[in-house]
Amino acid sequence: MPQPAIFADRLHWGLLHTFLVIAEEKSLSRAALRLNVTPSAVSHSLRRLEEQTGGRLVDRNRQRFALTGQGALLHEAALDICKRINVLDTTFASGVPAISGTLNLLMLSTLVSDTFDIFLTDFCKRFPLLAMHVETLPSSIILKKIGQNLPSLGLALCPRETRDIRRAPLIPQRYALYCGRNHPLFTRERVTRQDLLAENFVSFFSDQMGDSLAALAEYREKHRFTGTVVASANDQDEVKRLLYAGYGIGCLADDSARKDVLEGRLRRLPPEKGIADVPVYLVWSGQRKLQPAEIIFINGLCDAFGRERPFPAAGETGETHGA
DNA sequence: AGGTCTTTGTCTACTGCGTT
DNA sequence: AACGCAGTAGACAAAGACCT
């Protein structure tokens, strides 16, 4: 006894294209015009598709045209198929295999960069089959995960390159001193560097010698700041919260604090030129064999920021590179 | 009433597959 | 290779429903 054909076997894919045009034109006649066939041919095709799918796909009469629930589901699936087929067009033309899968990105929070956002927009268009998972974490956790060879790339503060962690400097970040609106210095007309030396500090956990924000601690030490650290956090947003509360003065990246200054929550303090540059690095495992998508992402991001490509020979051919 | 849109029935052309 | 069969796509004609 013959088995009933599974859905994909009994469905004629060509009818899906006709159905997509019908759904877009919201009319069989207009679909026929666009497909360069007669309206009856479109009607026949729709009926055949409804027979194959086992239910009505379109509620249609002279007054009304609407996809049924089943029709909407099929339309969504057909769009997805269409999108995947369209990718093949550029793939075949370029001779480069389509990149698919998932790219995991670990990012430090409150990273502000128009260049990165523009890069991501372009990357999304170029590789629509590649899913992106983004998790925000403190830099120390990102480096730990990358060092454990988890299948991820990171955007983090990275004080040094090691055998396990490779890095490329990406986004320059100038750190400066700030106070919140509840701090006594916020409303003082003129503030000099001398006024800051005895002020209590809000700091990052990583704001210690040898850690990723050591440059901030070095500055305090070098310029003989005598105030004590009265509050600390591992995250830029939480440091801001402590500054808003008025615990003390603290360091923040200018890019992440700019909006708060404009909106009257923070005040930028001397020195005018800031106190240290701590770039955000693109980091990846030095031990794990990277996926083609990861290499393309790394090279593309370095291109976007005008940095040297770490994998210049790889191009975008899908060739893989280890450390 | 005439025009438009959709549906239905019938026919032809084409293609793929199995058989000879 | 040639043939026949089955399935599919699409054209044509006709009819029904609805709008102006």
Side-chain angles (χ1 to χ4, degrees):
Chain A
M1 183 175 157
Q3 295 297 313
I6 62 171
F7 188 43
D9 285 347
R10 66 174 189 264
L11 191 72
H12 281 252
W13 302 89
L15 297 178
L16 284 182
H17 177 241
T18 301
F19 177 62
L20 268 181
V21 176
I22 292 170
E24 279 169 29
E25 296 294 337
K26 296 184 170 53
S27 153
L28 301 197
S29 308
R30 285 197 297 272
L33 271 176
R34 199 171 124 189
L35 292 166
N36 209 21
V37 295
T38 61
S40 74
V42 176
S43 179
H44 276 303
S45 295
L46 182 56
R47 199 183 66 180
R48 274 194 290 273
L49 188 62
E50 287 180 331
E51 283 166 4
Q52 289 168 15
T53 55
R56 202 164 168 79
L57 300 171
V58 180
D59 272 338
R60 66 244 191 220
N61 56 45
R62 289 277 292 134
Q63 299 85 39
R64 174 180 159 78
F65 180 99
L67 297 181
T68 61
Q70 198 167 321
L73 283 174
L74 187 67
H75 182 233
E76 198 177 317
L79 276 177
D80 192 44
I81 291 166
C82 192
K83 186 173 156 190
R84 286 168 176 267
I85 293 293
N86 281 337
V87 168
L88 293 181
D89 184 33
T90 46
T91 300
F92 291 160
S94 65
V96 176
I99 298 294
S100 62
T102 300
L103 202 149
N104 296 303
L105 187 60
L106 308 177
M107 286 185 64
L108 74 173
S109 60
T110 67
L111 180 68
V112 179
S113 168
D114 289 342
T115 307
F116 181 70
D117 294 342
I118 291 166
F119 164 76
L120 215 50
T121 304
D122 179 57
F123 193 78
C124 166
K125 280 184 191 154
R126 286 177 62 205
F127 304 103
L129 302 185
L130 183 64
M132 179 78 79
H133 284 178
V134 177
E135 188 178 0
T136 59
L137 292 166
S139 289
S140 56
I141 307 291
I142 294 173
L143 297 181
K144 191 174 167 192
K145 288 192 172 212
I146 297 289
Q148 288 169 345
N149 294 333
L150 292 180
S152 301
L153 304 178
L155 280 170
L157 306 178
C158 179
R160 70 195 71 80
E161 190 167 64
T162 66
R163 200 168 55 91
D164 296 334
I165 298 173
R166 294 302 161 101
R167 66 176 192 176
L170 211 61
I171 308 169
Q173 285 203 120
R174 170 64 53 92
Y175 279 73
L177 290 167
Y178 289 87
C179 70
R181 62 186 160 204
N182 292 312
H183 193 275
L185 292 178
F186 190 85
T187 50
R188 188 183 294 182
E189 196 170 334
R190 184 176 145 75
V191 179
T192 65
R193 194 157 68 178
Q194 203 63 27
D195 296 328
L196 307 178
L197 296 180
E199 289 295 333
N200 288 336
F201 252 86
V202 174
S203 78
F204 288 90
F205 287 173
S206 52
D207 170 4
Q208 292 169 26
M209 292 303 182
D211 214 330
S212 52
L213 285 172
L216 309 183
E218 283 165 16
Y219 179 87
R220 288 205 306 271
E221 181 126 337
K222 183 177 169 189
H223 293 85
R224 301 206 166 85
F225 280 71
T226 57
T228 53
V229 174
V230 292
S232 57
N234 66 345
D235 173 89
Q236 194 134 211
D237 276 341
E238 296 310 315
V239 168
K240 278 187 193 175
R241 194 196 303 277
L242 295 169
L243 290 173
Y244 299 157
Y247 273 98
I249 64 172
C251 301
L252 289 171
D254 277 340
D255 285 338
S256 87
R258 190 163 291 122
K259 191 165 174 237
D260 298 271
V261 171
L262 283 172
E263 293 173 1
R265 288 186 293 274
L266 292 174
R267 176 179 180 176
R268 197 175 187 278
L269 301 168
E272 187 64 35
K273 64 180 172 113
I275 63 171
D277 287 318
V278 184
V280 173
Y281 288 86
L282 175 57
V283 294
W284 63 93
S285 169
Q287 299 297 323
R288 179 173 63 82
K289 185 175 182 176
L290 299 182
Q291 297 300 311
E294 293 176 316
I295 292 172
I296 290 170
F297 187 86
I298 292 170
N299 280 343
L301 202 48
C302 287
D303 286 348
F305 282 93
R307 309 288 184 183
E308 195 178 337
R309 285 182 166 205
F311 306 108
E316 295 187 352
T317 62
E319 185 185 343
T320 55
H321 279 242

